[in-house]
């Protein structure tokens, strides 16, 4: 059971080595490692060449390819086209895997009679390395309790999430899902995972082996989430998910869950991009016939009196001045 590990890397000279070295401890020697240098301007390409020389013989195959800077999704797609493995492990260059993660999920696959559609996942660790000390917190320690497809889709739309490298993809399932959406600037992994569920993926909890580590290296990740392009991308991803829901004839069951996700995008958007936020709200009210609310009574009252833009601007200001709780994202 061969596995291709695809690592998109853009200006990752300081983190790439750790991600590759973690693959030495995966209890599977039949690994194909593919580093896709996404038009880096630092020494990423040189680091990749060095790793190929030092560690290439430790793996079944080791490739380093360079592409123009078109984003992580395009780099992942390029890696998939280059790969030959029966299974695909995506791994961003600033993340890594604890020992035994891939090996345990492969064994989990062997014990299943649905190996072509099985999408194993397990616990993951949030690692915040943006401060003077690295902080960790284990997340998503329990499986998604929903078993019916509509319930799983609804849980995801309402906020359930795992980083992409938590999963191990059968190639057949990846082909049925389709390529990563290169037009999205944010929520690419959510949109991809949602399409996988719609394409017939069977989620399967596997808490054996090591966890996946999701790293945050800079507070700038937070600011990138609220650019106009990223917020617009999240809105576009929501529309794609809606189309999938309608294709499966599940709209009546999931319209409110779609509205909940729209409200979450609205919350992220309203303080910085009120015009887009207004469009999101109007879309949800028109298409889903719902507009959920969340938060404390004090927050809802403040929003009612002063309006959403001022409310969320103050919340955003508070979040910049109050230390972020350990492990939050």
């Amino acid at each position: 059971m061969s596995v291709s590990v695809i690592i998109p890397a853009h200006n990752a000279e300081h983190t790439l080595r750790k991600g590759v070295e973690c693959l030495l401890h995966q209890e599977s020697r039949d690994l194909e490692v593919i580093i896709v240098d996404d038009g880096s301007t630092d020494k990423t390409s040189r680091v990749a060449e060095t790793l190929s020389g030092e560690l290439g013989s430790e793996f079944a195959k080791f490739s380093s390819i360079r592409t123009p800077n078109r984003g992580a999704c395009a780099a992942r797609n390029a890696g998939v086209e280059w790969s030959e493995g029966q299974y695909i492990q995506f791994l961003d260059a600033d993340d890594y895997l604890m020992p035994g993660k891939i090996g345990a999920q492969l064994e989990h696959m062997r014990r299943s009679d649905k190996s072509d559609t099985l999408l194993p996942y397990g616990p993951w660790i949030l690692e915040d390395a943006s401060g003077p000390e690295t902080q960790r917190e284990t997340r998503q320690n329990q499986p998604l309790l929903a078993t019916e497809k509509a319930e799983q889709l609804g849980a995801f739309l309402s906020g359930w999430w795992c980083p992409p490298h938590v999963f191990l993809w059968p190639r057949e399932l990846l082909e049925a899902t389709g390529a990563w959406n290169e037009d999205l600037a944010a929520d690419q992994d959510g949109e991809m995972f949602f399409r996988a569920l719609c394409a017939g993926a069977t989620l399967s909890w596997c808490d054996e082996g090591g966890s996946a580590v999701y790293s945050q290296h800079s507070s700038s990740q937070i600011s990138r989430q609220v650019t106009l392009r990223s917020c617009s991308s999240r809105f576009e991803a929501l529309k794609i998910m809606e189309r999938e829901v309608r294709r499966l004839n599940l709209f009546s069951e999931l319209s409110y869950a779609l509205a909940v996700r729209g409200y979450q995008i609205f919350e992220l958007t309203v303080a910085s991009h009120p015009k887009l936020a207004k469009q999101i709200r109007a879309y949800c009210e028109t298409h889903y016939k719902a507009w959920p609310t969340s938060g404390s009574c004090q927050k809802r009252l403040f929003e009612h009196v002063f309006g959403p833009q001022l409310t969320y601007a103050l919340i955003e200001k508070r979040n910049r001045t109050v230390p972020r709780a350990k492990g939050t994202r």
Side-chain angles (χ1 to χ4, degrees):
M1 301 176 77
S2 59
V3 179
S4 296
V5 184
I6 298 172
I7 308 175
H10 176 71
N11 292 346
E13 60 176 320
H14 299 297
T15 59
L16 182 56
R17 174 174 287 276
K18 187 172 186 178
V20 173
E21 288 182 341
C22 79
L23 301 175
L24 296 170
H25 311 288
Q26 292 306 310
E27 299 178 0
S28 175
R29 305 320 306 168
D30 195 12
L31 294 182
E32 177 187 30
V33 179
I34 302 173
I35 300 173
V36 184
D37 182 355
D38 180 39
S40 297
T41 57
D42 66 355
K43 298 178 182 178
T44 295
S45 180
R46 187 181 305 174
V47 172
E49 292 176 1
T50 301
L51 289 170
S52 178
E54 293 179 0
L55 304 178
S57 61
E58 300 291 331
F59 303 103
K61 293 183 179 180
F62 195 111
S63 304
S64 175
I65 60 178
R66 184 174 175 83
T67 64
N69 178 218
R70 295 186 292 131
C73 288
R76 295 184 188 111
N77 288 337
V80 171
E81 291 180 6
W82 189 273
S83 68
E84 299 178 357
Q86 183 180 356
Y87 297 93
I88 304 295
Q89 170 71 64
F90 294 108
L91 180 64
D92 286 357
D94 55 349
D95 298 328
Y96 60 97
L97 307 174
M98 300 296 284
K101 186 268 190 190
I102 294 177
Q105 290 184 336
L106 282 175
E107 182 59 32
H108 190 74
M109 292 275 200
R110 291 189 183 97
R111 297 195 297 263
S112 171
D113 59 354
K114 298 180 178 179
S115 59
D116 290 347
T117 61
L118 204 68
L119 191 59
Y121 70 107
W124 57 282
I125 296 170
L126 175 67
E127 182 177 271
D128 186 351
S130 59
E133 295 183 1
T134 298
Q135 299 178 344
R136 284 185 175 181
E137 180 180 345
T138 301
R139 305 289 292 276
Q140 195 57 50
N141 270 329
Q142 298 298 324
L144 183 62
L145 297 178
T147 55
E148 298 296 326
K149 187 64 63 180
E151 293 177 344
Q152 291 180 348
L153 293 172
F156 172 79
L157 288 169
S158 301
W160 188 89
W161 180 80
C162 280
H165 59 303
V166 166
F167 304 101
L168 183 64
W169 290 77
R171 182 176 290 275
E172 291 85 351
L173 176 60
L174 190 61
E175 291 174 349
T177 299
W180 286 81
N181 192 326
E182 299 178 14
D183 295 328
L184 296 179
D187 205 14
Q188 309 99 319
D189 54 337
E191 186 269 344
M192 178 76 167
F193 173 71
F194 193 83
R195 278 192 285 120
L197 286 179
C198 293
T202 303
L203 284 178
S204 184
W205 176 254
C206 176
D207 58 359
E208 303 169 359
S211 301
V213 181
Y214 177 63
S215 299
Q216 292 180 339
H217 292 277
S218 171
S219 59
S220 65
Q221 289 181 334
I222 299 173
S223 64
R224 286 200 298 269
Q225 291 178 2
V226 294
T227 65
L228 180 59
R229 182 167 179 250
S230 66
C231 291
S232 298
S233 175
R234 292 176 189 278
F235 188 26
E236 181 59 32
L238 173 67
K239 295 177 182 178
I240 295 172
M241 294 174 195
E242 178 192 338
R243 289 198 292 269
E244 288 293 305
V245 167
R246 290 183 183 276
R247 181 180 64 81
L248 296 175
N249 295 318
L250 293 173
F251 182 77
S252 61
E253 298 178 59
L254 295 172
S255 60
Y256 188 78
L258 287 163
V260 168
R261 194 167 189 87
Y263 184 80
Q264 293 169 350
I265 303 169
F266 171 86
E267 283 191 306
L268 188 67
T269 305
V270 65
S272 303
H273 312 290
K275 184 177 180 179
L276 175 61
K278 185 177 180 180
Q279 294 174 4
I280 294 170
R281 178 167 186 164
Y283 186 91
C284 291
E285 291 177 333
T286 301
H287 286 73
Y288 311 141
K289 309 300 181 185
W291 185 241
T293 58
S294 65
S296 65
C297 292
Q298 182 182 16
K299 173 186 168 186
R300 292 197 295 270
L301 177 62
F302 201 91
E303 182 178 353
H304 176 74
V305 175
F306 297 101
Q309 184 176 356
L310 178 58
T311 300
Y312 290 100
L314 291 173
I315 291 173
E316 193 176 71
K317 181 178 179 181
R318 182 199 64 185
N319 290 341
R320 287 197 300 266
T321 57
V322 177
R324 182 163 57 89
K326 177 181 177 181
T328 58
R329 71 172 183 87

